[in-house]
Amino acid sequence: MGILLKPIDIVDDISQEEFREKYLKPCKPVVIKNMARNWPAYQKWTMEYMKEVVGDVEVPLYDSSKADPAAPINTPTTKMPFKDYVDLIQREPTDLRIFFFDPIKFAPKLLDDYIPPKNLMGGFLDKYPSMFFGGKGSVTFLHYDIDMPHIFHTHFNGRKHVLLFEYKWKTRLYKLPYATYALEDYDISNPDFQKFPALDGIEGIECFLEHGDTLFMPTGWWHWMKYLDGSFSISLRAWDKSWAVKAHSLWNLAVQRNFDNFMKGRYKKRYMDWKERKAVENANIALKKGLPR
């Protein structure tokens, strides 16, 4: 059977009413082709321009290696001046990524280059939206965002492959306890179903982003991303109106994350081994019961 992937809905433009009824209310992803074409960034945001305005700021870099069980989540692998990193991803493939970096803090003029889609919804969160850079072949591990926002993710200067899974599939995706990411021992784009049978038959959505494409990812959606070229993206995040979603976000940030970091620091590999065993156990139970229904 394998993983059952459907192509994502793609629209050139969309009205507020259509967006709310077809995508926001049912929490369904969509790619909007023309949204960013109205931004100054569509023409201006080249690699050379980003180097010019951000400069030599030292940035944290992440690779594809399995997380250190003793380290808090999002601990960088190394650091590098931003200009040197951009040169690297233009020059050659690398698995090094910039994750949740806010270059706009160092180059406020970038604030003038994009337009939050307030014509589609409200509740936008960030004064300085996060940007993500990756070399050809680099991968963002399978996860959902800890603060549970809606995300408008716009890509620049290349292509990106994206797999999306609804929140209800979390247990079958081998979600680690007290975490917002999955077991890192499989490749969701080419899984071994004999070793990870719970993945067989799960349903997802696949899309490919090109320069200027905007992906709307609703709250709670799991996502895996692979950079097909050295390129970058910006994520504009917005609150869901639901108090249940806001409470889930607060729990993740204030309780779950702190508990998880404490347990990692205290028990290290022993705790991580338990989490991985539990993820496998929970996935097998969900598979046996035919969940989710």
Side-chain angles (χ1 to χ4, degrees), residues 8 10 31 33 159-163 206-210 213 226 228:
I8 197 165
I10 300 174
V31 169
K33 299 290 287 186
R159 299 166 299 145
K160 183 183 274 188
H161 182 198
V162 184
L163 300 180
E206 181 175 39
C207 76
F208 294 87
L209 299 177
E210 300 178 341
D213 288 349
K226 183 174 184 178
L228 303 180

Side-chain angles (χ1 to χ4, degrees), residues 25 33 37-38 53 65 97 104 122 140 144 157 160 234:
K25 287 183 180 179
K33 299 290 287 186
R37 282 168 170 75
N38 298 319
V53 297
S65 60
R97 296 175 293 113
I104 298 170
T140 302
Y144 67 95
N157 286 272
K160 183 183 274 188
I234 183 171

Side-chain angles (χ1 to χ4, degrees), residues 2-208:
I3 295 177
L4 307 176
L5 294 174
K6 296 180 180 179
I8 197 165
D9 285 4
I10 300 174
V11 299
D12 288 329
D13 299 289
I14 192 166
S15 68
Q16 182 184 81
E17 181 180 2
E18 184 181 10
F19 174 74
R20 288 180 180 275
E21 293 302 316
K22 288 188 176 181
Y23 302 106
L24 183 59
K25 287 183 180 179
C27 280
K28 182 180 179 181
V30 62
V31 169
I32 306 170
K33 299 290 287 186
N34 288 341
M35 191 179 88
R37 282 168 170 75
N38 298 319
W39 299 359
Y42 184 73
Q43 299 292 340
K44 293 171 65 175
W45 282 14
T46 64
M47 293 290 196
E48 292 305 311
Y49 181 74
M50 297 306 290
K51 282 169 56 178
E52 176 188 333
V53 297
V54 179
D56 290 322
V57 174
E58 189 174 64
V59 294
L61 301 176
Y62 303 81
D63 64 16
S64 301
S65 60
K66 193 171 180 177
D68 180 351
I73 190 171
N74 298 339
T75 299
T77 303
T78 187
K79 295 182 179 181
M80 184 183 296
F82 180 79
K83 279 185 176 180
D84 293 348
Y85 175 74
V86 172
D87 286 340
L88 172 66
I89 65 173
Q90 290 186 99
R91 184 174 65 244
E92 61 191 58
T94 176
D95 69 343
L96 292 174
R97 296 175 293 113
I98 295 178
F99 179 74
F100 266 121
F101 172 56
D102 297 335
I104 298 170
K105 288 183 179 179
F106 305 98
K109 62 191 297 185
L110 295 173
L111 286 168
D112 299 327
D113 292 342
Y114 66 88
I115 305 167
K118 294 179 181 179
N119 60 316
L120 298 182
M121 67 175 295
F124 284 91
L125 292 166
D126 302 308
K127 182 178 179 182
Y128 301 118
S130 294
M131 298 187 73
F132 305 83
F133 292 72
K136 181 179 180 180
S138 63
V139 171
T140 302
F141 60 82
L142 184 63
H143 70 287
Y144 67 95
D145 281 39
I146 192 169
D147 53 348
M148 304 290 290
H150 297 294
I151 301 170
F152 291 84
H153 186 80
T154 303
H155 197 60
F156 294 92
N157 286 272
R159 299 166 299 145
K160 183 183 274 188
H161 182 198
V162 184
L163 300 180
L164 300 161
F165 301 93
E166 200 171 349
Y167 185 75
K168 68 180 183 179
W169 293 103
K170 61 186 184 298
T171 307
R172 292 274 295 274
L173 290 168
Y174 296 86
K175 176 187 178 297
L176 293 172
Y178 305 110
T180 59
Y181 56 97
L183 193 68
E184 296 178 68
D185 294 334
Y186 68 84
D187 176 2
I188 191 62
S189 67
N190 186 29
D192 184 333
F193 295 112
Q194 288 189 331
K195 289 184 178 179
F196 304 99
L199 297 173
D200 196 10
I202 68 171
E203 300 170 3
I205 292 176
E206 181 175 39
C207 76
F208 294 87

Side-chain angles (χ1 to χ4, degrees), residues 239-267:
W239 275 121
D240 188 83
K241 288 185 176 180
S242 164
W243 284 104
V245 172
K246 290 180 172 126
H248 193 167
S249 169
L250 184 61
W251 169 268
N252 286 347
L253 291 166
V255 180
Q256 177 177 276
R257 181 168 61 181
N258 289 330
F259 174 79
D260 195 49
N261 284 337
F262 170 79
M263 294 294 285
K264 283 180 183 177
R266 182 167 185 137
Y267 296 106

